[in-house]
């Protein structure tokens, strides 16, 4: 019985993180065209640090031998966050104007889609909430792109 409670907590945590990532992206994309570089940097760093709880959730799910999607889908978000950490914070690459942009965007959208899927798989209403915050991030991306030429 306590295992089920822990799984509910893990699933709720992944759902919250999925939506937090989407909302942090909204903040990043709205701060970028306004030239709020420090805010963009801090929001991105907060997002990258979400690697830790997502990794723990995926690891606990894998160790408990839960369904494949409970560790594979969060692993896609982990991959995106590792790439983000590497490109933007460690190597400080200006990759958005290079050929690295397309593979980056592919991982980005697959990771966000995976979190929508995870949310729907744990509870339909959670999926709709995550989908809504994802669409908010898409609107912010569009706004940023229309102002500065990249998301």
């Amino acid at each position: 019985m306590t295992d089920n409670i822990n799984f509910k907590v893990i699933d709720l945590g992944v759902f919250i993180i999925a939506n937090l990532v989407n909302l942090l992206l909204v903040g990043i994309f709205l701060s970028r065209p306004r030239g709020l570089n420090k805010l963009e940097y801090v929001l991105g760093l907060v997002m990258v640090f979400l690697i830790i709880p997502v990794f723990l959730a995926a690891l606990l799910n894998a160790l408990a031998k839960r369904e494949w999607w409970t560790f594979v889908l969060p692993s896609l978000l982990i991959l995106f966050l590792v790439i983000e950490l590497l490109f933007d914070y460690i190597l400080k690459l200006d990759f958005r104007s290079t050929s690295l942009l397309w593979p980056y965007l592919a991982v980005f959208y697959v990771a966000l889609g995976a979190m929508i899927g995870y949310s729907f798989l744990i509870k339909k209403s959670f999926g709709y909430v995550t989908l809504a915050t994802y669409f908010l991030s898409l609107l912010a991306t569009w706004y940023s792109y229309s102002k500065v030429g990249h998301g």
Side-chain angles (χ1 to χ4, degrees), residues 26 29-30 134-145:
V26 169
F29 292 134
L30 293 180
Y134 169 74
F135 281 126
L136 283 176
S137 74
L138 285 182
L139 284 172
T141 304
W142 170 80
Y143 172 78
S144 180
Y145 184 80

Side-chain angles (χ1 to χ4, degrees), residues 71-90:
F71 51 90
V72 171
L73 296 181
S75 295
L76 296 169
L77 181 60
I78 293 166
L79 175 63
F80 164 68
L81 294 173
V82 166
I83 292 170
E84 182 71 17
L85 174 66
L86 185 66
F87 282 10
D88 273 339
Y89 294 92
I90 295 174

Side-chain angles (χ1 to χ4, degrees), residues 6-115:
N6 291 335
F7 293 148
K8 287 180 182 180
V9 170
I10 291 168
D11 289 344
L12 181 62
V14 172
F15 161 72
I16 290 169
I17 290 168
N19 287 282
L20 186 55
V21 165
N22 287 336
L23 294 174
L24 286 165
L25 288 168
V26 169
I28 289 166
F29 292 134
L30 293 180
S31 64
R32 188 171 290 162
R34 289 186 169 85
L36 301 171
N37 298 336
K38 287 183 182 179
L39 178 61
E40 178 186 349
Y41 182 86
V42 170
L43 292 174
L45 206 53
V46 169
M47 185 176 69
V48 164
F49 275 108
L50 293 173
I51 290 170
I52 297 166
V54 174
F55 175 79
L56 289 173
L59 179 63
L60 291 171
N61 285 337
L63 291 174
K65 298 184 187 331
R66 291 186 72 197
E67 295 90 349
W68 66 270
W69 57 268
T70 63
F71 51 90
V72 171
L73 296 181
S75 295
L76 296 169
L77 181 60
I78 293 166
L79 175 63
F80 164 68
L81 294 173
V82 166
I83 292 170
E84 182 71 17
L85 174 66
L86 185 66
F87 282 10
D88 273 339
Y89 294 92
I90 295 174
L91 298 176
K92 298 181 183 190
L93 296 177
D94 183 23
F95 67 92
R96 288 175 180 85
S97 57
T98 71
S99 61
L100 292 173
L101 178 63
W102 290 107
Y104 170 85
L105 287 176
V107 172
F108 171 76
Y109 286 114
V110 167
L112 296 182
M115 291 298 87

